[in-house]
Amino acid sequence: MMNLKVFGVARDIMGGGEIALTDSIHSVGELKALLLNRYPKLKELNSLVIAVNQKYASDEVSVAETDEIAVIPPVSGG
Amino acid sequence: MMNLKVFGVARDIMGGGEIALTDSIHSVGELKALLLNRYPKLKELNSLVIAVNQKYASDEVSVAETDEIAVIPPVSGG
Amino acid sequence: MIKITAKPIDVQKVIDTASSLGAGAVNVFIGTVRDSVHNKHVRWLEYEAYESMAVAEIRMIIDEAAHRWQLQGWAVSHRVGTLKPGEVAVVVAVAAVHRKESFEACQFIIDAIKAKVPIWKKEVFEGGEAWVSANPPLVIHSN
Amino acid sequence: MIKITAKPIDVQKVIDTASSLGAGAVNVFIGTVRDSVHNKHVRWLEYEAYESMAVAEIRMIIDEAAHRWQLQGWAVSHRVGTLKPGEVAVVVAVAAVHRKESFEACQFIIDAIKAKVPIWKKEVFEGGEAWVSANPPLVIHSN
């Protein structure tokens, strides 16, 4: 099982700040495709980025259940 | 009699913060020429500017005894 | 000092933390909550952070700035939670030998914080609310 | 608020004076006394001002900046007298709707203060002292 931390508007769209996926996922690219398919409103965001172990990660980065994985919508700090 | 306010290094050179001149002076240019002649160390400064009634004044500005006249060496505030 | 905090920020303390006897210049940026945005009255803002990653990202930004502008000191504090108009959301303070460096470094840091750091705000108006969609995070790392 | 003062500057008070509910950004420049200049240990600095004219010149600078960057608030305080290393010599605080304007306006103001305003400082070292000769005043008015 893969646990996702979900923030900001993505949390509202996905219905929670902690989401557990039972799907078999091996890369950031696969995860993003799955999320965009399951939560189509995510497509309306300017961007959707995945952080793996607290680093922004590109699609080819591999992910495992032991990684800390976060769903990062457009940031707006400051 | 013309009273000068004198600041910073010019005060050290001219020997006081308030200097009274008995000379007949009609313009900023005349005043500067007189000061540079009487206090030659003023020539060593990067600049020597006269303020008339709290405004920096160019050489052609006329001066009278009733004006507030100040000797302004290079500034270094901040 | 890098701090993500739910308590009101003590601006003077952030400045004091950044200050240094070797510095002639301290530049401070204070981001505050405006009372109106796009002509709508703001009731409050809600800030949230991915705290551990936010601290790590800010540290990377600071490290780059400290090296590039030879900073003598620095401090960053970012508020989370509910903020009313007039409250301080973020303070960046940097100390440098000369003023030009202090301005450049401070602006670099706040620009990078707004562009990259995983912090989000929601604006709550009379009769509505909206997540602010300022920037996609700019830097993507691959491994 | 424009203030030339012989008393220590309360930085927070200058910031509070500049702050405005309509502003999202406050930029603050703090000029402090360094403990060394050109590798010489600084014992203290002596600042003096042609006070009435200094206030008038700062007002002209502020007026220009307030108009150019649509400032929401501002405050300037400059210290005179004897200052030890670490003490605050000048504080400029400006509030603007957005951060870019706050940085530009604050830098413009402190640059202009250093270039134009009749204030002088003397550095007192171990075994010597020197008037700082930073800038000839740049703007000459003719009538």
Side-chain angles (χ1 to χ4, degrees):
Chain A
M1 201 166 69
M2 182 169 280
N3 293 299
L4 306 180
K5 292 174 182 288
V6 187
F7 295 96
V9 64
R11 181 162 46 71
D12 289 357
I13 293 171
M14 293 169 63
E18 299 275 347
I19 299 275
L21 296 181
T22 52
D23 312 78
S24 169
I25 290 165
H26 305 92
S27 72
V28 166
E30 281 179 36
L31 174 59
K32 282 168 71 173
L34 181 143
L35 293 176
L36 291 166
N37 184 56
R38 191 165 297 167
Y39 307 98
K41 283 200 70 139
L42 292 175
K43 292 176 194 164
E44 296 170 18
L45 304 181
N46 287 342
S47 69
L48 185 70
V49 175
I50 302 299
V52 177
N53 299 325
Q54 305 184 12
K55 284 193 176 154
Y56 296 120
S58 52
D59 283 0
E60 68 276 18
V61 170
S62 58
V63 291
E65 293 187 356
T66 51
D67 290 322
E68 180 175 317
I69 300 170
V71 179
I72 311 280
V75 301
S76 54
Chain B
M1 201 166 69
M2 182 169 280
N3 292 300
L4 307 180
K5 292 174 182 288
V6 187
F7 295 95
V9 64
R11 182 163 44 73
D12 288 358
I13 292 171
M14 293 169 62
E18 299 275 348
I19 298 276
L21 296 181
T22 52
D23 312 76
S24 170
I25 291 165
H26 306 92
S27 72
V28 165
E30 282 179 34
L31 174 59
K32 282 169 70 172
L34 181 143
L35 294 175
L36 291 167
N37 184 55
R38 191 165 296 168
Y39 307 98
K41 284 201 71 144
L42 292 176
K43 292 174 192 163
E44 296 170 17
L45 304 181
N46 288 343
S47 70
L48 185 71
V49 175
I50 302 299
V52 177
N53 299 325
Q54 304 183 13
K55 284 191 177 156
Y56 295 121
S58 53
D59 283 359
E60 67 276 15
V61 171
S62 58
V63 291
E65 293 187 357
T66 51
D67 290 322
E68 181 176 317
I69 300 170
V71 179
I72 311 279
V75 302
S76 52
Chain C
M1 179 190 76
I2 299 171
K3 210 164 155 184
I4 309 283
T5 175
K7 292 189 198 139
I9 297 172
D10 181 339
V11 176
Q12 185 67 58
K13 201 170 154 188
V14 178
I15 294 172
D16 291 344
T17 304
S19 296
S20 157
L21 278 174
V26 179
N27 190 261
V28 186
F29 177 81
I30 304 167
T32 53
V33 177
R34 281 187 287 161
D35 60 0
S36 70
V37 176
H38 306 308
N39 292 318
K40 283 193 285 187
H41 177 68
V42 173
R43 295 176 68 195
W44 67 80
L45 261 57
E46 282 170 24
Y47 278 86
E48 68 178 58
Y50 180 9
E51 192 170 322
S52 54
M53 182 173 168
V55 170
E57 286 287 318
I58 293 171
R59 185 164 298 281
M60 281 194 284
I61 293 164
I62 292 283
D63 284 350
E64 183 175 348
H67 176 259
R68 194 157 147 192
W69 286 283
Q70 299 280 305
L71 298 184
Q72 306 289 303
W74 51 268
V76 173
S77 191
H78 201 300
R79 182 87 181 274
V80 290
T82 301
L83 278 77
K84 294 249 166 80
E87 284 196 85
V88 172
V90 62
V91 179
V92 177
V94 301
V97 177
H98 299 296
R99 71 186 183 284
K100 186 166 174 291
E101 288 77 5
S102 75
F103 276 99
E104 289 178 1
C106 191
Q107 188 153 19
F108 170 85
I109 292 166
I110 187 64
D111 285 355
I113 286 174
K114 286 176 178 258
K116 293 186 201 178
V117 174
I119 299 176
W120 299 267
K121 62 170 163 266
K122 185 163 67 174
E123 292 165 344
V124 179
F125 304 101
E126 306 286 350
E129 58 180 49
W131 286 99
V132 179
S133 176
N135 296 296
L138 289 181
V139 180
I140 305 291
H141 303 266
S142 54
N143 65 359
Chain D
M1 179 190 76
I2 299 171
K3 210 163 154 185
I4 309 282
T5 175
K7 291 188 200 144
I9 297 172
D10 182 339
V11 176
Q12 184 67 58
K13 201 170 154 191
V14 179
I15 294 171
D16 291 346
T17 305
S19 297
S20 156
L21 278 175
V26 179
N27 191 260
V28 187
F29 177 80
I30 304 167
T32 54
V33 178
R34 280 187 287 161
D35 60 1
S36 69
V37 176
H38 306 308
N39 292 320
K40 284 193 284 188
H41 177 68
V42 174
R43 295 177 67 195
W44 67 80
L45 260 57
E46 282 170 23
Y47 278 87
E48 68 178 59
Y50 180 8
E51 190 169 323
S52 54
M53 181 172 168
V55 170
E57 286 287 318
I58 293 171
R59 186 163 298 280
M60 281 194 284
I61 293 164
I62 292 283
D63 284 350
E64 184 175 347
H67 177 259
R68 195 157 147 192
W69 286 283
Q70 298 280 305
L71 297 184
Q72 305 290 303
W74 51 267
V76 173
S77 190
H78 201 300
R79 182 88 182 272
V80 290
T82 301
L83 278 76
K84 295 248 165 81
E87 284 198 83
V88 172
V90 62
V91 180
V92 177
V94 301
V97 177
H98 298 295
R99 71 186 184 283
K100 186 166 175 289
E101 288 77 3
S102 75
F103 276 99
E104 289 178 1
C106 190
Q107 188 153 19
F108 170 86
I109 292 166
I110 186 64
D111 285 355
I113 286 173
K114 286 176 178 258
K116 292 185 199 178
V117 174
I119 299 176
W120 299 268
K121 63 170 163 267
K122 185 163 66 174
E123 292 165 344
V124 180
F125 305 101
E126 305 286 351
E129 58 180 49
W131 287 98
V132 179
S133 176
N135 296 296
L138 290 182
V139 180
I140 305 292
H141 304 265
S142 54
N143 66 0

